[in-house]
Amino acid sequence: READSYVTVAGQTSPGGIQLKNFGILMYEGMHDAIIRHLRLRVGTFDSWPAGSGEAGPFQIWRSYNNRPVYNIIIDHADLYWGIAKNFVTAGAVTDITLQWSILAEGTNTGHYYGTPHNDAILLDNGNGTRVNLHHNLLFDHEYRNPQNKRGISDFRNNYIYSWRGNNYAYVSNVENNGQVTWINFVKNVYKRG
């Protein structure tokens, strides 16, 4: 929330590090100017989100229902594991989000997203004028969305994607979505089947 803005979580300063089990992080309601570093997030099959939301991922950044934007967020050296549906999501009025030097891995098929098992890496579903940067990350053992850019502007570069399955390695969708623009810089990424 906006009241929780101007936050730095420096996990590298904690002896033994910081790990959240069965819960993830959700940023919304105008949250801004936050730096999250050196966290291990392991959601698993426990549904930590509100009943009926269908979402349970390690890291999610959403616009609020009153459309207050979320902006200036850096996630650095994070481990995002065992997300139900997706391991990393941005949606709505979010901008200037960076995910760097992180591991996104092993989305789980044992949980259910609206009744259907999912095992997805990254979904970027933003509006016009949004910017999301993803660089120097390791993604492994996901079936879908490695990444998926539905709307907005994203920069996906110098990432290593290992053990992806099916034909959904990376894709851009909704190129014409009610006048909203989808642009992606896709530079020097490596895809290796496992």
Side-chain angles (χ1 to χ4, degrees):
R1 296 181 331 215
E2 191 169 8
D4 299 322
S5 296
Y6 302 106
V7 171
T8 298
V9 177
Q12 74 274 20
T13 63
S14 172
I18 298 172
Q19 176 172 303
L20 297 178
K21 181 180 174 188
N22 296 332
F23 294 92
I25 293 177
L26 171 62
M27 293 184 169
Y28 70 112
E29 294 284 336
M31 174 84 178
H32 59 88
D33 296 293
I35 299 171
I36 310 294
R37 303 189 72 210
H38 294 273
L39 289 183
R40 293 185 304 272
L41 306 174
R42 311 281 197 270
V43 174
T45 58
F46 182 81
D47 189 0
S48 58
W49 302 104
S53 72
E55 297 285 345
F59 215 106
Q60 301 195 30
I61 304 171
W62 294 353
R63 61 120 175 100
S64 63
Y65 292 105
N66 60 14
N67 231 12
R68 290 173 32 212
V70 177
Y71 58 95
N72 295 345
I73 308 292
I74 297 173
I75 302 102
D76 176 55
H77 285 87
D79 293 351
L80 311 178
Y81 278 72
W82 308 333
I84 298 169
K86 304 156 206 79
N87 273 332
F88 183 77
V89 177
T90 63
V94 303
T95 192
D96 297 323
I97 310 297
T98 299
L99 173 66
Q100 63 187 20
W101 299 100
S102 295
I103 299 173
L104 294 84
E106 299 176 348
T108 179
N109 270 329
T110 57
H112 293 288
Y113 174 68
Y114 295 111
T116 309
H118 277 57
N119 177 354
D120 302 348
I122 297 171
L123 173 62
L124 308 174
D125 185 6
N126 308 305
N128 278 337
T130 62
R131 292 176 300 276
V132 179
N133 302 296
L134 302 116
H135 66 86
H136 295 92
N137 298 297
L138 168 63
L139 286 69
F140 71 87
D141 204 20
H142 294 100
E143 291 181 18
Y144 307 103
R145 295 177 170 159
N146 287 298
Q148 179 182 8
N149 189 26
K150 278 181 98 173
R151 292 178 287 199
I153 301 167
S154 65
D155 188 56
F156 189 75
R157 67 179 65 224
N158 296 319
N159 297 287
Y160 190 89
I161 300 86
Y162 178 74
S163 189
W164 54 275
R165 293 182 297 283
N167 61 356
N168 290 304
Y169 41 92
Y171 59 102
V172 176
S173 61
N174 296 346
V175 175
E176 293 182 25
N177 188 354
N178 297 323
Q180 295 191 5
V181 177
T182 301
W183 292 349
I184 184 169
N185 292 324
F186 198 83
V187 181
K188 294 187 179 180
N189 298 291
V190 175
Y191 283 79
K192 182 162 178 67
R193 284 199 186 262

